[in-house]
Amino acid sequence: MSAGDTVEASKRLRQDAHRLADVVTRLESPSGSYSLLGDLLDAQRSMEQVLRELVEWHRRTMPGVHFAEHHDESVAGVTTVVEQLDLAIQQAEGLQETLSRAYGGSSVVRWFDEEEEPDPPALP
């Protein structure tokens, strides 16, 4: 995948995430929430991998090759990126674990394919 493909893929991811955020409150069936959680878990695993690859790429960058050599702000910027991506990876691991527990919890629910009408309350 070329650099242009990578940037294009990240733009599509952003757009798809925006679309999902816009429609998530309108699940077609209650059982769809289980599938949605599974997809989010898989996506989070992929995001964690992206973060790991990105931090390693930044670790391998070299002054004069990838950024201005005698520019203190560039060196500090790369250092900040590495530190913050390391933190993001830790947080991504935590989110993945949390989503996994939510997905597991949803797996035992007897979801309906369609919403049911609630029973009227019993009179005293």
Side-chain angles (χ1 to χ4, degrees), residues 68-108:
E69 187 166 5
H70 299 290
H71 186 250
D72 292 341
E73 289 179 1
S74 292
V75 173
V78 170
T79 300
T80 299
V81 170
V82 169
E83 290 170 351
Q84 294 305 303
L85 284 174
D86 281 338
L87 179 58
I89 290 166
Q90 291 173 11
Q91 293 169 341
E93 290 169 347
L95 178 56
Q96 182 178 323
E97 291 171 11
T98 302
L99 284 171
S100 182
R101 288 191 300 273
Y103 184 60
S106 185
S107 72
V108 300

Side-chain angles (χ1 to χ4, degrees), residues 28-32 110-116:
E28 293 179 17
S29 67
S31 61
R110 292 184 189 170
W111 294 110
F112 294 135
D113 289 331
E114 296 179 13
E115 289 184 12
E116 300 288 323

Side-chain angles (χ1 to χ4, degrees), residues 24-36:
V24 72
T25 59
R26 298 183 301 271
L27 282 174
E28 293 179 17
S29 67
S31 61
S33 68
Y34 175 71
S35 177
L36 178 60

